[in-house]
Amino acid sequence: QVQLVESGGGLVQPGGSLRLSCAASGSVFSRNVMGWYRQAPGKQRELVATIASGSSTNYADSVKGRFTISRDNAKNAVYLQMNSLKPEDTAVYYCNVRWQSFGMGMEYWGKGTLVTVSS
């Protein structure tokens, strides 16, 4: 079993910064994609950013140039540096890891961490 634990959420003023962290434990396949998704009140969960074990990245257009995703493969950890935060970034942020192994797809989610951007 795989567990993902997020940390780093909180209240920040518009224009501020936060850094989210997520650590994966358990049997994590080395070749994987880790990422961050978010869900605002009344909205569907959406992609924020992903990063593959080979370090290729993908960002939602709404966060390009403001957010940076990174990872530490040795620690099975993924990070999200969020700068120039806007009120519309307010959401619960979820960590995700997925991989394909022997034709089977595996995917795990964290419980989420709340980010509130407000003055």
Side-chain angles (χ1 to χ4, degrees):
Q1 192 60 278
V2 172
Q3 287 190 325
L4 300 173
V5 179
E6 303 102 334
S7 61
L11 173 64
V12 63
Q13 292 187 341
S17 298
L18 279 177
R19 186 175 188 250
L20 304 183
S21 300
C22 172
S25 61
S27 301
V28 180
F29 192 63
S30 59
R31 191 175 294 178
N32 60 57
V33 178
M34 300 189 80
W36 291 95
Y37 293 72
R38 66 187 181 186
Q39 187 167 17
K43 295 189 177 181
Q44 290 189 332
R45 191 174 298 189
E46 63 177 5
L47 167 74
V48 176
T50 61
I51 182 167
S53 49
S55 296
S56 61
T57 58
N58 180 46
Y59 292 92
D61 288 343
S62 59
V63 307
K64 283 180 181 177
R66 300 188 298 123
F67 291 8
T68 302
I69 190 169
S70 61
R71 62 185 290 160
D72 184 333
N73 290 333
K75 296 181 178 180
N76 282 329
V78 64
Y79 310 97
L80 186 69
Q81 178 66 42
M82 304 185 294
N83 298 329
S84 302
L85 282 160
K86 304 175 181 180
E88 51 263 43
D89 294 318
T90 295
V92 177
Y93 284 70
Y94 296 91
C95 179
N96 172 276
V97 64
R98 55 184 168 87
W99 64 81
Q100 292 280 337
S101 177
F102 299 103
M104 288 184 59
M106 305 297 290
E107 184 173 39
Y108 297 91
W109 293 91
K111 293 183 179 181
T113 185
L114 177 63
V115 172
T116 303
V117 184
S118 175
S119 55

